[in-house]
């Protein structure tokens, strides 16, 4: 099996040093990084860890490079969080924890580095800080291992712990539709355009055709860890040699997808899953922010639809699906604002006065309000009249996983066409994404419904988040 693990943690807490000790490879790619001793961009190395092929994505810890950090962690199925034993939890440690929780990454290990610089009491203090910081997050059950890249203390224990959590993680779906987030693109003499990224679901082979912003490109060859391969399966670091596109036309934040299988959208309704460390609601979010998903960081306008819900209008469309997790970052500063989960990637635009208020009522978790708004909302009635085209390709929007096959339609809406497929109500979608957060999604919505997929592996299914 192959795995991909991203690093995270405060600047100068020894992420790159630890990764170098584990792999024997230098993760810093730039000469400037090596001279300054400061990671600026993503680094990529790999090693055999307790019999497992593990690739590491080393991310920067400095707050100025938080966008690069989010691009490295966003597509990662697992994370190794680094906290220095002699300094404990610092500002960027908290920010990185919020990002990990916001992206819904449940597989990982916490390495307490620089153990050689801390005595027993200081180590216990750091452990207590970590336990308090990760409580009620996706990191709360991660193993904590004290290590020193200088003396070698704890390295074997770290390898064992990392291998155990990776083996225990849900296996990614090699048969899923592909959404390959690009983190680098460059030109190789004699070969042409090459892009790299983390493959988290689906399979890519030489000769395959993928879609790039609606245009088709062909995969000429595939490599992983500097070696050609015939088939790329998840989870794996992959380099694709592309035909039909210049390197200048593809870069970090682009996604190569299965043609016709994804819905590209600039409009998405979301539910608040992770509040910032100091708390807050959607009503307190700024009107403008940066939305991070996969390796993409896209400017967006935020419109609150109540304390727990909002609508994002992205500056450019992205291939999104129900349950996608989005980390919201401030435009001026580098702070994490919130973690969000997509509950509708093709919502009806607001065109009339009162549409936003009606949508807010419809999303309200109170069942009485929700039933009343769905039955009376003009917004819903307009949606129903366009149902034939609107739901023509539900799988692209992620709704096929919730489709009822033998029960009456549960998208109750006055005037709904009888030919419309029986999609779950918005409240059921919200409960689904929240349930997947802790792996407790209902097995089925009603007799005859398809089972909700198990959460994990960072494939197509993403759960909701909550941070108290």
């Amino acid at each position: 099996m192959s795995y991909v693990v991203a690093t995270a943690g405060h600047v100068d807490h020894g992420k790159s040093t630890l990764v170098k000790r584990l792999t024997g490879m230098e993760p810093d790619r730039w000469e400037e990084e090596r001279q300054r001793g400061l990671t600026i961009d993503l680094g990529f190395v790999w090693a055999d860890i307790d019999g497992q092929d593990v690739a590491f994505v080393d991310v920067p810890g400095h707050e100025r490079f938080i966008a690069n950090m989010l691009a490295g962690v966003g597509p990662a199925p697992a994370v190794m969080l680094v906290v220095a034993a002699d300094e404990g939890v610092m500002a960027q440690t908290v920010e990185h924890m919020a990002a990990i929780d916001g992206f819904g990454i449940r597989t990982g290990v916490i390495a307490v580095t620089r153990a050689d610089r801390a005595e027993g009491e200081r180590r216990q203090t750091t452990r207590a800080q970590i336990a308090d910081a990760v409580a009620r997050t996706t990191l709360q059950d991660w193993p904590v291992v004290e290590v020193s890249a200088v003396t070698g203390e704890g390295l074997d224990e770290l390898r064992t712990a990392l291998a155990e959590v990776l083996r225990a993680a849900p296996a990614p779906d090699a048969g899923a539709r592909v959404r390959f987030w690009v983190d680098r693109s460059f030109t190789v003499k004699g070969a042409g355009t090459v892009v790299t990224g983390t493959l988290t679901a689906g399979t890519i082979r030489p000769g395959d055709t993928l879609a790039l912003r609606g245009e088709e490109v062909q995969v000429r060859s595939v490599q992983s860890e500097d070696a050609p391969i015939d088939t790329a399966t998840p989870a794996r670091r992959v380099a694709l040699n592309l035909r039909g596109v210049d390197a200048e036309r593809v870069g970090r934040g682009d996604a190569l997808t299965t043609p016709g299988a994804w819905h590209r959208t600039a409009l998405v309704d979301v539910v608040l899953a992770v509040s910032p460390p100091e708390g807050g609601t959607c009503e307190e979010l700024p009107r403008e922010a940066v939305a991070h998903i996969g390796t993409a960081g896209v400017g967006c306008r935020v419109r609150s639809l109540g304390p727990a819900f909002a609508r994002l209008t992205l500056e450019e469309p992205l291939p999104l699906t129900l349950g996608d997790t989005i980390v919201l970052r401030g435009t001026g500063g580098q702070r994490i604002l919130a973690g969000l989960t997509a509950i509708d990637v093709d919502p009806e635009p607001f065109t009339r006065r009162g549409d936003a208020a009606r949508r807010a009522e419809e999303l309200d978790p109170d069942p009485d309000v929700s039933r009343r708004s769905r039955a009376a909302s003009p917004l819903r009635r307009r949606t129903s009249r366009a149902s034939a085209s609107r739901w023509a390709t539900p799988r692209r929007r992620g709704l096929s996983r919730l489709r009822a096959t033998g029960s009456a339609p549960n998208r109750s809406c006055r005037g709904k066409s009888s030919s419309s497929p029986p999609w779950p109500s918005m409240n059921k979608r919200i409960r689904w994404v929240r349930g997947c957060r802790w792996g407790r999604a209902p097995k089925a919505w009603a007799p005859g419904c398809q089972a909700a997929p198990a959460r994990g592996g960072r494939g197509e299914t993403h759960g909701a988040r909550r941070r108290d």
Side-chain angles (χ1 to χ4, degrees):
M1 285 288 292
S2 59
Y3 303 92
V4 179
V5 178
T7 63
H10 192 74
V11 62
D12 289 336
H13 275 200
K15 295 184 296 298
S16 299
T17 302
L18 179 59
V19 168
K20 185 176 181 179
R21 184 66 186 266
L22 289 173
T23 65
M25 302 173 67
E26 175 60 65
D28 289 334
R29 297 181 291 115
W30 299 358
E31 184 63 30
E32 179 185 359
E33 293 177 312
R34 300 174 187 179
Q35 291 178 354
R36 298 174 60 182
L38 177 69
T39 300
I40 298 173
D41 201 6
L42 305 180
F44 311 98
V45 292
W46 56 89
D48 182 282
I49 303 294
D50 200 18
Q52 308 298 314
D53 179 19
V54 180
F56 290 91
V57 180
D58 189 38
V59 308
H62 197 284
E63 63 178 349
R64 288 188 300 168
F65 310 120
I66 187 66
N68 291 344
M69 178 270 176
L70 294 171
V73 171
V79 171
M80 180 172 68
L81 177 69
V82 170
V83 183
D86 56 329
E87 291 189 354
V89 175
M90 304 289 284
Q92 287 307 113
T93 311
V94 175
E95 290 290 306
H96 287 202
M97 286 180 178
I100 295 167
D101 193 28
F103 281 128
I105 303 173
R106 297 202 325 224
T107 300
V109 63
I110 300 174
V112 181
T113 55
R114 303 204 309 222
D116 55 300
R117 300 188 186 182
E119 301 298 330
E121 185 176 352
R122 175 65 249 191
R123 295 187 187 191
Q124 291 302 317
T125 300
T126 298
R127 278 181 168 269
Q129 292 177 350
I130 293 172
D132 182 65
V134 303
R136 298 177 299 278
T137 72
T138 56
L139 299 79
Q140 64 181 358
D141 296 324
W142 291 10
V144 179
V145 183
E146 297 174 3
V147 298
S148 171
V150 175
T151 66
E153 175 190 349
L155 287 177
D156 289 340
E157 290 82 354
L158 178 61
R159 291 188 181 98
T160 300
L162 185 58
E164 288 178 353
V165 299
L166 292 176
R167 290 192 190 102
D173 186 0
R177 50 184 177 163
V178 172
R179 180 174 56 176
F180 181 77
W181 292 104
V182 175
D183 51 39
R184 283 191 304 160
S185 67
F186 48 91
T187 301
V188 175
K189 188 175 181 180
T193 300
V194 175
V195 298
T196 68
T198 299
L199 180 64
T200 57
T203 300
I204 302 178
R205 299 179 178 86
D208 282 355
T209 298
L210 299 175
L212 173 66
R213 296 190 297 274
E215 299 181 7
E216 292 190 350
V217 297
Q218 190 172 24
V219 179
R220 179 179 294 171
S221 61
V222 182
Q223 287 194 3
S224 181
E225 299 175 1
D226 285 347
I229 57 176
D230 294 329
T231 303
T233 54
R236 184 186 296 271
R237 288 291 305 172
V238 176
L240 304 178
N241 181 203
L242 302 180
R243 180 185 292 114
V245 60
D246 295 332
E248 294 76 14
R249 293 182 52 217
V250 58
R252 181 172 297 175
D254 284 321
L256 296 170
T257 60
T258 301
W262 288 87
H263 174 61
R264 291 182 59 84
T265 181
L267 207 61
V268 55
D269 286 349
V270 296
V271 60
L272 180 65
V274 179
S275 299
E278 63 273 15
T281 68
C282 284
E283 294 170 328
E284 301 171 39
L285 293 174
R287 293 182 62 85
E288 295 186 353
V290 180
H292 289 267
I293 178 169
T295 60
V298 179
C300 67
R301 295 194 306 275
V302 182
R303 181 162 186 169
S304 172
L305 298 175
F309 302 94
R311 172 164 294 188
L312 305 184
T313 303
L314 308 177
E315 291 183 352
E316 58 184 80
L318 295 175
L320 302 180
T321 191
L322 175 69
D324 272 342
T325 53
I326 301 169
V327 169
L328 213 60
R329 177 175 63 87
T331 55
Q334 304 295 332
R335 294 184 58 256
I336 303 297
L337 299 176
L340 310 169
T341 304
I343 56 174
D344 195 342
V345 297
D346 193 17
E348 189 77 8
F350 298 148
T351 57
R352 300 182 184 179
R353 179 176 297 179
D355 277 355
R358 283 185 285 269
R359 181 61 163 168
E361 284 187 2
E362 179 182 281
L363 295 174
D364 192 297
D366 182 276
D368 294 331
V369 175
S370 297
R371 280 197 296 268
R372 182 174 67 249
S373 62
R374 280 201 302 272
S377 171
L379 182 63
R380 278 294 175 188
R381 289 199 292 270
R382 293 202 306 279
T383 302
S384 67
R385 287 195 293 268
S387 61
S389 60
R390 184 167 171 73
W391 302 106
T393 54
R395 184 175 181 273
R396 295 169 59 191
R397 297 165 175 83
L399 288 168
S400 60
R401 289 169 289 165
L402 306 182
R403 183 177 181 177
T405 58
S407 57
N410 47 17
R411 278 184 61 90
S412 57
C413 173
R414 184 175 301 172
K416 189 72 175 176
S417 169
S418 60
S419 62
S420 301
W423 304 123
S425 66
M426 183 58 67
N427 274 354
K428 288 188 176 181
R429 295 194 217 174
I430 294 167
R431 290 201 302 274
W432 180 72
V433 296
R434 282 177 168 165
C436 290
R437 156 71 165 104
W438 300 110
R440 294 197 296 263
K443 291 183 179 179
W445 298 115
C449 293
Q450 293 179 353
R455 171 71 178 101
R458 303 299 313 289
E460 289 186 30
T461 306
H462 301 269
R465 328 276 169 252
R466 174 171 54 84
R467 187 183 181 93
D468 298 331

